[in-house]
């Protein structure tokens, strides 16, 4: 089994952090900006989207980082990260899907303009920052309700993927809302193995 993708990618880091939490030694090959291009035919044969990461497990190939995280937890039977009970699992997957869709879409314009240097209209960046803060406030409200982790008292894959997103928000050169529940939660996440390596590591 191996992971394809550069560690400067937030999506690669969420898979690498999951592997650490599972106690897995997951070999990795660098693909993406500055390395081999995911537009190469060799890579496109694995993922026609030309995006990282990709997991190769024997003859099985999987793309989409959140799906890879779920697969690793399910394959190794770690129900603490991905519950077996249907409703508990659905709650975890709900917040993972929200991270990949709603939250990521809110910050994309602002992050790509302010951190990656891609051209964007100032009003579009401003709207993206406002949407980013609004979605993070939704996460803050959820964490205030649980008083612990995203879906309740237990640390799960929802905390893994959202932890990386929250750290990106915290480090971005934007005006941020004050979100005390998010701040306290990130402190709690710091106790998890691999947090300093894959989350609070200075990477955007």
């Amino acid at each position: 089994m191996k992971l394809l993708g550069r560690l400067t990618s937030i999506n690669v880091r969420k898979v690498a952090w999951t592997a650490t939490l599972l106690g897995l030694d997951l070999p990795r090959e660098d693909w993406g900006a500055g390395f081999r291009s995911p537009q190469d035919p060799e890579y496109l044969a694995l993922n026609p989207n030309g995006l990282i990461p990709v997991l190769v497990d024997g003859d099985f190939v999987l793309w989409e980082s959140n799906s890879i995280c779920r697969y690793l937890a399910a394959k190794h039977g770690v129900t603490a990260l991905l519950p077996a009970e249907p409703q508990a699992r659905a709650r975890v997957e709900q917040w993972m899907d929200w991270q990949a869709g709603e939250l990521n879409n809110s910050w994309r314009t602002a992050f790509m303009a302010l951190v990656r240097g891609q051209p964007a209209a100032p009003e579009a960046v401003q709207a993206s920052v406002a949407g980013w803060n609004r979605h993070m406030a939704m996460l803050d409200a959820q964490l205030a309700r649980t008083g612990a982790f995203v879906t309740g008292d237990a640390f799960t894959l929802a905390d893994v993927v959202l932890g990386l997103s929250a750290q990106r928000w915290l480090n971005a050169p934007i005006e941020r809302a004050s979100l005390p529940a998010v701040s306290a939660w990130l402190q709690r996440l710091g106790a998890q193995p691999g947090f300093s390596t894959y989350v609070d590591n200075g990477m955007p």
Side-chain angles (χ1 to χ4, degrees):
M1 187 160 58
K2 63 183 176 180
L3 180 65
L4 310 183
R6 53 182 171 80
L7 271 182
T8 49
S9 161
I10 193 173
N11 289 326
V12 173
R13 293 201 305 274
K14 75 171 70 161
V15 175
W17 189 23
T18 298
T20 295
L21 291 164
L22 294 169
L24 301 178
D25 180 14
L26 182 59
R28 186 180 55 78
E29 294 180 3
D30 283 320
W31 288 83
F35 301 99
R36 286 174 287 181
S37 172
Q39 297 303 312
D40 286 354
E42 176 187 354
Y43 193 92
L44 290 174
L46 301 174
N47 182 359
N49 298 290
L51 298 172
I52 56 175
V54 161
L55 181 76
V56 179
D57 186 5
D59 293 333
F60 180 66
V61 176
L62 186 65
W63 36 267
E64 291 297 332
S65 56
N66 284 1
S67 293
I68 296 172
C69 292
R70 285 191 284 256
Y71 170 74
L72 291 175
K75 176 175 179 173
H76 295 278
V78 182
T79 56
L81 288 179
L82 186 64
E85 193 278 319
Q87 291 187 3
R89 177 167 177 153
R91 281 191 289 270
V92 171
E93 294 187 323
Q94 168 188 264
W95 283 98
M96 293 178 76
D97 290 344
W98 180 82
Q99 180 271 339
E102 299 297 325
L103 180 58
N104 280 6
N105 284 331
S106 73
W107 57 250
R108 186 165 286 111
T109 298
F111 180 81
M112 296 306 291
L114 299 174
V115 178
R116 301 295 191 213
Q118 290 188 4
E123 58 270 21
V125 173
Q126 184 178 9
S128 180
V129 170
W132 197 354
N133 278 315
R134 180 171 60 84
H135 282 82
M136 287 301 297
M138 293 170 60
L139 176 60
D140 190 75
Q142 172 67 7
L143 290 164
R145 282 191 290 270
T146 68
F149 298 102
V150 173
T151 63
D153 293 334
F155 174 84
T156 70
L157 286 180
D159 299 282
V160 171
V161 302
L162 283 163
L164 280 150
S165 291
Q167 191 69 31
R168 170 166 282 186
W169 170 81
L170 186 65
N171 292 337
I174 61 172
E175 184 174 343
R176 279 174 295 279
S178 176
L179 302 179
V182 168
S183 296
W185 167 68
L186 283 171
Q187 290 293 318
R188 289 191 289 275
L189 294 189
Q192 296 293 332
F195 182 84
S196 61
T197 301
Y198 298 113
V199 186
D200 188 15
N201 61 0
M203 293 183 184

